Each structure stands twice: as C-alpha cells, then as structure tokens.
Coordinates of all heavy atoms in Angstrom, one line a residue:
M1 N 8.2 -89.1 125.9 CA 7.9 -87.8 126.4 C 7.0 -87.1 125.4 O 7.3 -87.1 124.2 CB 9.2 -87.0 126.6 CG 9.0 -85.7 127.1 SD 10.7 -85.0 127.5 CE 10.2 -83.4 128.0
R2 N 6.0 -86.5 125.8 CA 5.0 -85.8 125.0 C 5.3 -84.3 124.8 O 5.5 -83.6 125.8 CB 3.6 -86.0 125.6 CG 2.5 -85.6 124.7 CD 1.2 -86.0 125.3 NE 0.1 -85.2 124.6 CZ -1.1 -85.4 124.8 NH1 -1.5 -86.3 125.8 NH2 -2.0 -84.7 124.2
S3 N 5.3 -83.8 123.6 CA 5.6 -82.4 123.4 C 4.3 -81.6 123.2 O 3.3 -82.1 122.6 CB 6.4 -82.3 122.1 OG 6.7 -81.0 121.8
T4 N 4.3 -80.4 123.8 CA 3.1 -79.5 123.7 C 3.5 -78.3 122.9 O 4.5 -77.7 123.1 CB 2.7 -79.1 125.1 OG1 2.4 -80.3 125.9 CG2 1.4 -78.3 125.1
M5 N 2.6 -78.0 122.0 CA 2.8 -76.8 121.1 C 2.3 -75.6 121.9 O 1.2 -75.6 122.5 CB 2.0 -76.9 119.9 CG 2.2 -75.8 118.9 SD 3.8 -76.1 118.1 CE 3.3 -75.7 116.5
R6 N 3.1 -74.5 122.0 CA 2.8 -73.3 122.6 C 2.6 -72.2 121.6 O 3.3 -72.2 120.6 CB 3.8 -72.9 123.6 CG 3.9 -74.0 124.8 CD 5.1 -73.9 125.7 NE 5.3 -72.5 126.1 CZ 6.3 -72.2 126.9 NH1 7.2 -73.1 127.3 NH2 6.5 -71.0 127.3
T7 N 1.7 -71.3 121.8 CA 1.4 -70.2 120.9 C 1.8 -68.9 121.5 O 1.4 -68.6 122.6 CB -0.1 -70.2 120.5 OG1 -0.4 -71.5 120.0 CG2 -0.4 -69.2 119.4
F8 N 2.5 -68.0 120.8 CA 2.9 -66.7 121.2 C 2.5 -65.7 120.2 O 2.5 -65.9 119.0 CB 4.4 -66.6 121.4 CG 5.0 -67.4 122.6 CD1 5.2 -68.8 122.5 CD2 5.2 -66.8 123.8 CE1 5.7 -69.5 123.5 CE2 5.6 -67.5 124.9 CZ 5.9 -68.9 124.7
V9 N 2.1 -64.5 120.7 CA 1.9 -63.3 119.9 C 2.8 -62.3 120.5 O 2.7 -61.8 121.6 CB 0.4 -62.8 120.0 CG1 0.2 -61.5 119.2 CG2 -0.6 -63.9 119.5
G10 N 3.8 -62.0 119.7 CA 4.9 -61.1 120.2 C 5.6 -61.9 121.3 O 6.0 -63.1 121.1
A11 N 5.8 -61.4 122.5 CA 6.4 -62.0 123.6 C 5.4 -62.7 124.5 O 5.8 -63.3 125.5 CB 7.3 -61.1 124.3
Q12 N 4.1 -62.5 124.3 CA 3.1 -63.0 125.2 C 2.6 -64.3 124.7 O 2.2 -64.5 123.6 CB 1.9 -62.0 125.2 CG 0.8 -62.3 126.1 CD 1.1 -62.2 127.5 OE1 1.8 -61.3 128.0 NE2 0.7 -63.1 128.4
E13 N 2.5 -65.3 125.7 CA 2.0 -66.6 125.4 C 0.4 -66.6 125.5 O -0.1 -66.0 126.4 CB 2.5 -67.7 126.3 CG 2.0 -69.1 126.0 CD 2.7 -70.2 126.8 OE1 3.5 -69.8 127.7 OE2 2.4 -71.3 126.6
A14 N -0.2 -67.2 124.5 CA -1.7 -67.2 124.4 C -2.1 -68.6 125.0 O -1.6 -69.6 124.5 CB -2.2 -67.0 123.0
Y15 N -3.0 -68.6 125.9 CA -3.5 -69.9 126.5 C -4.8 -70.4 126.0 O -5.5 -71.1 126.7 CB -3.5 -69.7 128.0 CG -2.1 -69.5 128.6 CD1 -1.7 -68.2 129.0 CD2 -1.3 -70.5 128.8 CE1 -0.5 -68.0 129.5 CE2 0.0 -70.3 129.4 CZ 0.4 -69.1 129.7 OH 1.6 -68.9 130.2
G16 N -5.2 -70.0 124.8 CA -6.4 -70.5 124.2 C -6.8 -69.7 123.0 O -6.1 -68.6 122.8
E17 N -7.8 -70.1 122.3 CA -8.2 -69.4 121.1 C -8.6 -68.0 121.4 O -8.3 -67.1 120.6 CB -9.3 -70.2 120.4 CG -8.9 -71.5 119.7 CD -10.0 -72.2 119.1 OE1 -10.9 -71.5 118.6 OE2 -10.0 -73.4 119.1
E18 N -9.4 -67.8 122.4 CA -9.9 -66.5 122.7 C -8.8 -65.5 123.1 O -8.8 -64.4 122.6 CB -10.9 -66.6 123.8 CG -11.8 -65.3 123.9 CD -13.0 -65.6 124.8 OE1 -13.8 -66.5 124.5 OE2 -13.1 -64.9 125.8
E19 N -7.9 -66.0 123.9 CA -6.7 -65.1 124.3 C -5.8 -64.9 123.1 O -5.3 -63.8 122.9 CB -5.9 -65.8 125.4 CG -4.9 -64.9 126.0 CD -4.2 -65.4 127.2 OE1 -4.5 -66.5 127.6 OE2 -3.3 -64.7 127.7
F20 N -5.7 -65.9 122.2 CA -4.9 -65.6 121.0 C -5.5 -64.5 120.1 O -4.8 -63.6 119.7 CB -4.8 -66.9 120.2 CG -4.1 -66.7 118.9 CD1 -2.7 -66.6 118.8 CD2 -4.8 -66.5 117.7 CE1 -2.0 -66.4 117.6 CE2 -4.1 -66.3 116.5 CZ -2.8 -66.3 116.4
A21 N -6.8 -64.6 120.0 CA -7.5 -63.6 119.2 C -7.3 -62.2 119.8 O -7.1 -61.2 119.1 CB -9.0 -63.9 119.0
E22 N -7.5 -62.1 121.1 CA -7.4 -60.8 121.8 C -6.0 -60.3 121.7 O -5.8 -59.1 121.4 CB -7.7 -61.0 123.3 CG -7.6 -59.7 124.1 CD -7.9 -59.9 125.6 OE1 -8.6 -60.9 125.9 OE2 -7.5 -59.1 126.4
L23 N -4.9 -61.1 121.8 CA -3.6 -60.7 121.6 C -3.3 -60.3 120.2 O -2.6 -59.3 119.9 CB -2.6 -61.8 122.1 CG -2.5 -62.0 123.6 CD1 -1.7 -63.3 123.9 CD2 -2.0 -60.8 124.3
A24 N -3.7 -61.1 119.3 CA -3.5 -60.8 117.8 C -4.2 -59.6 117.4 O -3.6 -58.8 116.6 CB -3.8 -62.0 117.0
L25 N -5.4 -59.4 117.8 CA -6.2 -58.3 117.3 C -6.1 -57.0 118.2 O -6.4 -55.9 117.7 CB -7.7 -58.6 117.2 CG -8.1 -59.8 116.3 CD1 -9.5 -60.2 116.5 CD2 -7.8 -59.4 114.9
G26 N -5.7 -57.2 119.4 CA -5.6 -56.1 120.3 C -6.9 -55.7 120.9 O -7.1 -54.6 121.4
I27 N -7.9 -56.5 120.7 CA -9.3 -56.2 121.1 C -9.9 -57.4 121.9 O -9.7 -58.5 121.6 CB -10.2 -56.0 119.9 CG1 -9.8 -54.8 119.1 CG2 -11.7 -55.9 120.2 CD1 -10.1 -53.5 119.7
D28 N -10.5 -57.0 123.1 CA -11.2 -58.0 123.8 C -12.6 -58.1 123.2 O -13.5 -57.3 123.5 CB -11.3 -57.6 125.3 CG -12.1 -58.6 126.2 OD1 -12.6 -59.6 125.7 OD2 -12.1 -58.3 127.4
V29 N -12.8 -59.1 122.4 CA -14.1 -59.3 121.7 C -15.3 -59.2 122.6 O -16.3 -58.6 122.3 CB -14.0 -60.5 120.8 CG1 -15.4 -60.8 120.1 CG2 -12.9 -60.4 119.7
E30 N -15.2 -60.0 123.7 CA -16.4 -60.1 124.6 C -16.7 -58.7 125.2 O -17.9 -58.5 125.5 CB -16.1 -61.1 125.7 CG -17.3 -61.5 126.4 CD -17.1 -62.7 127.3 OE1 -17.1 -63.9 126.7 OE2 -17.0 -62.5 128.5
L31 N -15.7 -57.9 125.4 CA -16.0 -56.5 126.0 C -17.0 -55.7 125.1 O -17.9 -55.1 125.5 CB -14.7 -55.7 126.1 CG -14.9 -54.3 126.6 CD1 -15.4 -54.3 128.1 CD2 -13.5 -53.6 126.6
F32 N -16.8 -55.8 123.8 CA -17.6 -55.1 122.8 C -18.8 -55.8 122.4 O -19.9 -55.2 122.2 CB -16.7 -54.6 121.6 CG -15.6 -53.7 122.1 CD1 -14.3 -54.2 122.3 CD2 -15.9 -52.4 122.3 CE1 -13.3 -53.4 122.7 CE2 -14.8 -51.6 122.7 CZ -13.6 -52.1 122.9
R33 N -18.7 -57.1 122.1 CA -19.8 -57.9 121.6 C -20.8 -58.3 122.8 O -22.0 -58.4 122.6 CB -19.3 -59.2 121.0 CG -20.3 -60.1 120.5 CD -19.8 -61.5 120.3 NE -19.4 -62.1 121.7 CZ -18.5 -63.0 121.8 NH1 -17.8 -63.5 120.8 NH2 -18.1 -63.4 123.0
G34 N -20.2 -58.5 123.9 CA -21.0 -59.0 125.0 C -20.8 -60.5 125.1 O -20.4 -61.1 124.1
P35 N -21.0 -61.1 126.3 CA -20.8 -62.5 126.4 C -21.9 -63.3 125.7 O -23.0 -62.7 125.5 CB -21.0 -62.7 128.0 CG -21.8 -61.6 128.4 CD -21.5 -60.4 127.5
L36 N -21.6 -64.5 125.3 CA -22.7 -65.3 124.6 C -23.7 -65.8 125.6 O -24.8 -66.1 125.1 CB -22.0 -66.4 123.8 CG -21.1 -65.9 122.7 CD1 -20.4 -67.1 122.0 CD2 -21.8 -65.1 121.7
Q37 N -23.4 -65.9 126.8 CA -24.4 -66.3 127.8 C -25.0 -65.0 128.4 O -24.5 -63.9 128.1 CB -23.8 -67.1 129.0 CG -22.8 -66.4 129.9 CD -21.4 -66.3 129.3 OE1 -21.1 -66.7 128.2 NE2 -20.5 -65.7 130.1
S38 N -26.0 -65.1 129.2 CA -26.7 -63.9 129.7 C -25.9 -63.2 130.7 O -25.0 -63.7 131.3 CB -28.1 -64.3 130.3 OG -27.9 -65.1 131.4
E39 N -26.2 -61.9 130.8 CA -25.5 -61.0 131.8 C -26.6 -60.2 132.5 O -27.6 -59.9 131.9 CB -24.4 -60.2 131.2 CG -24.9 -59.2 130.2 CD -23.7 -58.4 129.5 OE1 -22.6 -58.4 130.1 OE2 -24.0 -57.9 128.4
T40 N -26.4 -59.8 133.7 CA -27.3 -58.9 134.4 C -27.3 -57.5 133.8 O -26.3 -57.2 133.1 CB -27.0 -58.9 135.9 OG1 -25.8 -58.2 136.1 CG2 -27.0 -60.2 136.5
D41 N -28.3 -56.7 134.1 CA -28.3 -55.3 133.6 C -27.1 -54.6 134.2 O -26.5 -53.7 133.5 CB -29.6 -54.6 134.1 CG -30.8 -55.2 133.3 OD1 -30.7 -55.8 132.2 OD2 -32.0 -55.0 133.8
T42 N -26.8 -54.8 135.4 CA -25.6 -54.2 136.1 C -24.3 -54.6 135.4 O -23.5 -53.7 135.1 CB -25.5 -54.5 137.6 OG1 -26.8 -54.2 138.2 CG2 -24.4 -53.8 138.2
E43 N -24.1 -55.9 135.1 CA -22.9 -56.3 134.4 C -22.9 -55.7 133.0 O -21.8 -55.3 132.5 CB -22.9 -57.9 134.3 CG -22.7 -58.6 135.6 CD -23.0 -60.1 135.5 OE1 -23.8 -60.5 134.6 OE2 -22.4 -60.8 136.3
R44 N -24.0 -55.7 132.3 CA -24.0 -55.1 130.9 C -23.7 -53.6 131.0 O -22.9 -53.2 130.2 CB -25.4 -55.3 130.3 CG -25.4 -54.8 128.9 CD -26.7 -55.1 128.1 NE -27.9 -55.2 128.8 CZ -28.5 -56.4 129.2 NH1 -28.0 -57.5 128.8 NH2 -29.6 -56.4 129.8
A45 N -24.2 -52.9 131.9 CA -24.0 -51.5 132.0 C -22.5 -51.2 132.3 O -21.9 -50.3 131.7 CB -24.8 -50.8 133.1
A46 N -21.9 -52.0 133.2 CA -20.4 -51.8 133.5 C -19.6 -52.2 132.3 O -18.6 -51.5 132.0 CB -20.1 -52.7 134.7
R47 N -19.9 -53.3 131.6 CA -19.2 -53.7 130.4 C -19.3 -52.6 129.3 O -18.3 -52.2 128.7 CB -19.7 -55.0 129.8 CG -19.0 -55.5 128.6 CD -19.6 -56.8 128.1 NE -21.0 -56.8 127.8 CZ -21.6 -56.1 126.8 NH1 -20.9 -55.5 125.9 NH2 -22.9 -56.2 126.7
E48 N -20.5 -52.1 129.1 CA -20.7 -51.1 128.1 C -20.0 -49.8 128.4 O -19.4 -49.1 127.5 CB -22.2 -50.8 127.8 CG -22.9 -52.0 127.1 CD -24.4 -51.8 127.0 OE1 -25.0 -50.9 127.7 OE2 -25.0 -52.6 126.3
D49 N -19.9 -49.4 129.7 CA -19.2 -48.2 130.1 C -17.7 -48.4 129.8 O -17.0 -47.5 129.3 CB -19.3 -47.9 131.6 CG -20.7 -47.3 131.9 OD1 -21.3 -46.8 131.0 OD2 -21.0 -47.3 133.1
A50 N -17.2 -49.6 130.1 CA -15.7 -49.9 129.9 C -15.5 -49.9 128.4 O -14.5 -49.3 127.9 CB -15.4 -51.2 130.5
A51 N -16.4 -50.4 127.6 CA -16.2 -50.5 126.1 C -16.2 -49.0 125.6 O -15.4 -48.7 124.7 CB -17.3 -51.3 125.5
R52 N -17.1 -48.2 126.1 CA -17.1 -46.8 125.6 C -15.8 -46.1 125.9 O -15.3 -45.3 125.1 CB -18.3 -46.0 126.2 CG -19.6 -46.2 125.5 CD -20.6 -45.2 126.0 NE -21.1 -45.5 127.3 CZ -22.0 -46.4 127.6 NH1 -22.6 -47.1 126.7 NH2 -22.4 -46.6 128.9
D53 N -15.2 -46.3 127.1 CA -13.9 -45.7 127.4 C -12.8 -46.2 126.5 O -12.0 -45.4 126.1 CB -13.6 -46.1 128.9 CG -14.4 -45.3 129.9 OD1 -15.1 -44.4 129.5 OD2 -14.4 -45.8 131.1
V54 N -12.8 -47.5 126.2 CA -11.8 -48.0 125.3 C -12.0 -47.5 123.9 O -11.0 -47.1 123.3 CB -11.8 -49.6 125.3 CG1 -10.9 -50.2 124.3 CG2 -11.4 -50.1 126.7
L55 N -13.2 -47.4 123.4 CA -13.4 -46.8 122.1 C -13.0 -45.4 122.1 O -12.4 -45.0 121.1 CB -14.9 -46.9 121.8 CG -15.4 -48.2 121.1 CD1 -16.9 -48.2 120.9 CD2 -14.7 -48.4 119.7
A56 N -13.2 -44.6 123.1 CA -12.8 -43.2 123.1 C -11.3 -43.1 123.1 O -10.7 -42.3 122.3 CB -13.3 -42.5 124.4
D57 N -10.6 -44.0 123.8 CA -9.1 -44.0 123.8 C -8.6 -44.4 122.4 O -7.7 -43.8 121.8 CB -8.6 -45.0 124.8 CG -8.7 -44.5 126.2 OD1 -9.0 -43.3 126.4 OD2 -8.6 -45.4 127.1
L58 N -9.3 -45.4 121.7 CA -8.9 -45.8 120.4 C -9.1 -44.7 119.4 O -8.3 -44.5 118.5 CB -9.6 -47.1 120.0 CG -9.2 -48.4 120.7 CD1 -10.2 -49.5 120.3 CD2 -7.8 -48.8 120.3
R59 N -10.2 -44.0 119.5 CA -10.5 -42.9 118.6 C -9.5 -41.8 118.8 O -9.0 -41.2 117.8 CB -11.9 -42.3 118.8 CG -13.0 -43.2 118.3 CD -14.4 -42.5 118.4 NE -15.4 -43.5 118.0 CZ -16.3 -44.1 118.7 NH1 -16.3 -43.8 120.0 NH2 -17.1 -44.9 118.2
E60 N -9.1 -41.5 120.0 CA -8.1 -40.5 120.3 C -6.7 -40.9 119.6 O -6.1 -40.1 119.0 CB -7.9 -40.3 121.8 CG -7.0 -39.1 122.1 CD -6.9 -38.9 123.6 OE1 -8.0 -38.9 124.3 OE2 -5.8 -38.8 124.1
Q61 N -6.3 -42.1 119.8 CA -5.1 -42.6 119.2 C -5.2 -42.6 117.7 O -4.2 -42.2 117.0 CB -4.8 -44.1 119.7 CG -4.5 -44.2 121.2 CD -4.4 -45.6 121.6 OE1 -4.3 -46.5 120.9 NE2 -4.5 -45.8 123.0
A62 N -6.3 -42.9 117.2 CA -6.5 -42.9 115.7 C -6.4 -41.5 115.2 O -5.8 -41.2 114.2 CB -7.9 -43.5 115.3
D63 N -7.0 -40.5 115.9 CA -6.9 -39.1 115.5 C -5.5 -38.6 115.6 O -5.1 -37.7 114.9 CB -7.8 -38.2 116.4 CG -9.3 -38.5 116.2 OD1 -9.6 -39.0 115.1 OD2 -10.1 -38.1 117.1
D64 N -4.6 -39.2 116.4 CA -3.2 -38.8 116.5 C -2.4 -39.5 115.5 O -1.1 -39.4 115.5 CB -2.7 -39.1 117.9 CG -3.3 -38.2 119.0 OD1 -3.7 -37.1 118.6 OD2 -3.2 -38.6 120.2
G65 N -3.0 -40.3 114.6 CA -2.3 -40.9 113.5 C -1.9 -42.4 113.6 O -1.2 -42.9 112.8
D66 N -2.4 -43.0 114.7 CA -2.2 -44.5 114.9 C -3.1 -45.3 114.0 O -4.3 -45.4 114.3 CB -2.3 -44.8 116.4 CG -1.9 -46.2 116.7 OD1 -2.0 -47.1 115.8 OD2 -1.6 -46.5 117.9
D67 N -2.6 -45.8 112.9 CA -3.4 -46.6 112.0 C -4.0 -47.9 112.6 O -5.1 -48.3 112.3 CB -2.6 -46.9 110.7 CG -2.3 -45.7 109.9 OD1 -3.1 -44.7 110.0 OD2 -1.4 -45.8 109.0
I68 N -3.2 -48.5 113.4 CA -3.7 -49.8 114.0 C -4.8 -49.5 115.0 O -5.8 -50.2 115.0 CB -2.5 -50.5 114.8 CG1 -1.5 -51.0 113.7 CG2 -3.1 -51.7 115.6 CD1 -0.3 -51.6 114.3
A69 N -4.7 -48.4 115.8 CA -5.8 -48.0 116.6 C -7.1 -47.7 115.8 O -8.2 -48.0 116.3 CB -5.4 -46.8 117.5
A70 N -6.9 -47.1 114.7 CA -8.0 -46.7 113.8 C -8.7 -48.0 113.4 O -10.0 -48.1 113.4 CB -7.6 -45.9 112.6
W71 N -8.0 -49.0 112.9 CA -8.6 -50.3 112.5 C -9.3 -51.0 113.7 O -10.3 -51.6 113.6 CB -7.6 -51.2 111.8 CG -7.3 -50.8 110.5 CD1 -6.1 -50.2 110.0 CD2 -8.1 -50.8 109.3 NE1 -6.2 -49.9 108.7 CE2 -7.4 -50.3 108.2 CE3 -9.4 -51.3 109.1 CZ2 -8.0 -50.2 106.9 CZ3 -10.0 -51.2 107.8 CH2 -9.3 -50.7 106.8
D72 N -8.6 -51.0 114.9 CA -9.1 -51.6 116.1 C -10.4 -50.9 116.5 O -11.4 -51.6 116.9 CB -8.1 -51.5 117.2 CG -7.0 -52.5 117.1 OD1 -7.1 -53.4 116.3 OD2 -6.0 -52.4 117.9
C73 N -10.5 -49.6 116.3 CA -11.7 -48.8 116.7 C -12.8 -49.2 115.8 O -14.0 -49.4 116.2 CB -11.4 -47.3 116.5 SG -12.7 -46.3 117.1
L74 N -12.6 -49.4 114.5 CA -13.6 -49.8 113.5 C -14.1 -51.2 113.9 O -15.3 -51.4 113.8 CB -13.1 -49.7 112.1 CG -12.8 -48.4 111.5 CD1 -12.1 -48.5 110.2 CD2 -14.2 -47.6 111.3
Y75 N -13.2 -52.1 114.2 CA -13.6 -53.5 114.5 C -14.4 -53.5 115.8 O -15.5 -54.1 115.8 CB -12.3 -54.3 114.6 CG -12.6 -55.8 114.9 CD1 -13.4 -56.6 114.1 CD2 -12.1 -56.3 116.1 CE1 -13.7 -57.9 114.4 CE2 -12.3 -57.7 116.4 CZ -13.1 -58.4 115.6 OH -13.3 -59.7 115.9
A76 N -13.9 -52.8 116.8 CA -14.6 -52.8 118.1 C -16.0 -52.2 118.0 O -17.0 -52.7 118.5 CB -13.8 -52.0 119.1
D77 N -16.1 -51.1 117.2 CA -17.4 -50.4 117.0 C -18.3 -51.4 116.3 O -19.5 -51.4 116.6 CB -17.2 -49.1 116.2 CG -18.4 -48.3 116.2 OD1 -19.0 -48.1 117.3 OD2 -18.8 -47.9 115.1
A78 N -17.9 -52.1 115.3 CA -18.7 -53.1 114.6 C -19.2 -54.2 115.5 O -20.3 -54.6 115.5 CB -18.0 -53.6 113.4
L79 N -18.3 -54.6 116.5 CA -18.7 -55.6 117.4 C -19.9 -55.2 118.3 O -20.7 -56.0 118.7 CB -17.5 -56.1 118.3 CG -16.5 -56.9 117.6 CD1 -15.3 -57.0 118.5 CD2 -17.0 -58.3 117.3
T80 N -19.9 -53.9 118.6 CA -20.9 -53.4 119.5 C -22.3 -53.5 118.8 O -23.3 -53.6 119.5 CB -20.7 -51.9 120.0 OG1 -20.7 -51.1 118.8 CG2 -19.4 -51.8 120.7
R81 N -22.3 -53.5 117.5 CA -23.6 -53.6 116.8 C -24.1 -55.0 116.7 O -25.2 -55.2 116.2 CB -23.4 -53.0 115.4 CG -23.0 -51.5 115.5 CD -22.8 -50.9 114.1 NE -21.9 -49.8 114.2 CZ -22.2 -48.6 114.7 NH1 -23.4 -48.4 115.2 NH2 -21.4 -47.6 114.6
T82 N -23.3 -56.0 117.1 CA -23.8 -57.4 117.0 C -24.6 -57.8 118.3 O -25.2 -58.8 118.2 CB -22.6 -58.4 116.9 OG1 -21.8 -58.3 118.1 CG2 -21.8 -58.1 115.7
V83 N -24.5 -57.0 119.3 CA -25.2 -57.4 120.6 C -26.7 -57.5 120.4 O -27.3 -58.6 120.8 CB -24.9 -56.3 121.7 CG1 -25.7 -56.6 122.9 CG2 -23.4 -56.4 122.0
P84 N -27.4 -56.6 119.7 CA -28.9 -56.8 119.5 C -29.2 -58.1 118.8 O -30.1 -58.8 119.1 CB -29.4 -55.6 118.8 CG -28.4 -54.6 119.1 CD -27.1 -55.3 119.2
F85 N -28.4 -58.5 117.8 CA -28.6 -59.7 117.0 C -28.4 -60.9 117.9 O -29.2 -61.8 117.9 CB -27.6 -59.8 115.9 CG -27.6 -61.1 115.2 CD1 -28.6 -61.4 114.3 CD2 -26.7 -62.0 115.4 CE1 -28.7 -62.6 113.6 CE2 -26.7 -63.3 114.7 CZ -27.7 -63.5 113.9
L86 N -27.4 -60.9 118.8 CA -27.2 -62.1 119.6 C -28.3 -62.2 120.6 O -28.8 -63.3 120.9 CB -25.9 -61.9 120.4 CG -24.6 -62.1 119.5 CD1 -23.4 -61.8 120.4 CD2 -24.5 -63.5 119.0
R87 N -28.8 -61.1 121.2 CA -29.9 -61.2 122.1 C -31.2 -61.7 121.4 O -31.9 -62.5 121.9 CB -30.2 -59.8 122.7 CG -29.2 -59.4 123.7 CD -29.6 -58.2 124.5 NE -28.5 -57.7 125.2 CZ -28.1 -56.4 125.1 NH1 -28.8 -55.5 124.5 NH2 -27.0 -56.0 125.8
A88 N -31.4 -61.2 120.2 CA -32.6 -61.6 119.4 C -32.5 -63.1 119.1 O -33.5 -63.8 119.1 CB -32.7 -60.8 118.2
A89 N -31.3 -63.5 118.7 CA -31.1 -64.9 118.4 C -31.3 -65.9 119.5 O -31.8 -67.0 119.4 CB -29.8 -65.1 117.7
S90 N -31.0 -65.4 120.7 CA -31.1 -66.3 121.9 C -32.5 -66.2 122.6 O -32.8 -67.0 123.5 CB -30.0 -66.0 122.9 OG -30.1 -64.7 123.4
G91 N -33.3 -65.2 122.2 CA -34.6 -65.0 122.9 C -35.7 -65.8 122.3 O -35.4 -66.6 121.4
P92 N -36.9 -65.7 122.8 CA -38.0 -66.5 122.3 C -38.3 -66.2 120.9 O -38.2 -65.0 120.5 CB -39.1 -66.2 123.3 CG -38.7 -65.0 124.1 CD -37.2 -64.9 123.9
R93 N -38.7 -67.2 120.1 CA -39.1 -66.9 118.7 C -40.6 -67.0 118.6 O -41.3 -67.7 119.3 CB -38.5 -68.0 117.9 CG -37.0 -67.9 117.8 CD -36.4 -69.0 116.8 NE -35.0 -69.0 117.0 CZ -34.3 -70.1 117.4 NH1 -35.0 -71.3 117.5 NH2 -33.1 -70.1 117.6
P94 N -41.2 -66.1 117.7 CA -42.6 -66.1 117.5 C -43.1 -67.5 117.1 O -42.5 -68.2 116.3 CB -42.8 -65.1 116.4 CG -41.6 -64.3 116.4 CD -40.5 -65.1 116.9
G95 N -44.2 -67.9 117.7 CA -44.8 -69.2 117.3 C -44.2 -70.4 118.0 O -44.6 -71.5 117.7
T96 N -43.4 -70.1 119.0 CA -42.8 -71.3 119.7 C -43.2 -71.3 121.2 O -42.7 -72.2 121.9 CB -41.2 -71.3 119.6 OG1 -40.8 -70.0 120.2 CG2 -40.8 -71.4 118.2
G97 N -44.0 -70.4 121.6 CA -44.4 -70.3 123.0 C -45.6 -71.2 123.3 O -46.1 -72.0 122.5
A98 N -46.1 -71.2 124.6 CA -47.2 -72.0 125.0 C -48.4 -71.7 124.2 O -49.3 -72.6 124.0 CB -47.4 -71.8 126.5
A99 N -48.6 -70.4 123.7 CA -49.8 -70.0 123.0 C -49.8 -70.5 121.6 O -50.8 -70.4 120.9 CB -50.0 -68.5 123.1
A100 N -48.7 -71.0 121.1 CA -48.5 -71.3 119.7 C -49.3 -72.6 119.3 O -49.6 -73.5 120.0 CB -47.0 -71.5 119.3

C-alpha cells in the first residue's frame, strides 16, 4: 500500500504548491501579479479591478490595527509592480526581429 503525504494550512488542505502559498500567505499571487501566460485586455481589467478591491479591504483592515493584513497589503502591492517586468520579459527583444 502506497502512502500519500497531504499538506494542510490550518484546517484547509492544500492541493498543490500554488494553493499552499495562497493559504499560507493569505494572498492569491496571480490576482496581483497577473498570470504568467497572456490575458486579454478584458481579463486584465477585471483582474486589476478585483485586485484593487482586495487591496482596499486589506488597507482598511490594516488601518483598524490588523498587522497581518498590513503585511499582506504590502506584499500584494509589491506584486502589482511586477506586472510590467513580466510583460517586458515575455515581449519581443530589440535586435531579435525580422529586421535584425
């Protein structure tokens, strides 16, 4: 009989590395950073609207004295600043096109 290791954060079982990180950190990384694959303008706008709402809630909780929400807010806000880097890294590079 083969045994399988299960991972829990609190009472919630995590079914993969991404879900474990989300449960452990309390932050959906992809919501703030954006997906690593491409997304449409509509998908991006909806994701960014949701991220702004979550950030506003976290800031409100932090203002009310919730230290964990304050750290989550800082982390989530920093993730939003990685999006331009990811887009730039996945886009065309100078000197690699047909004219190069």
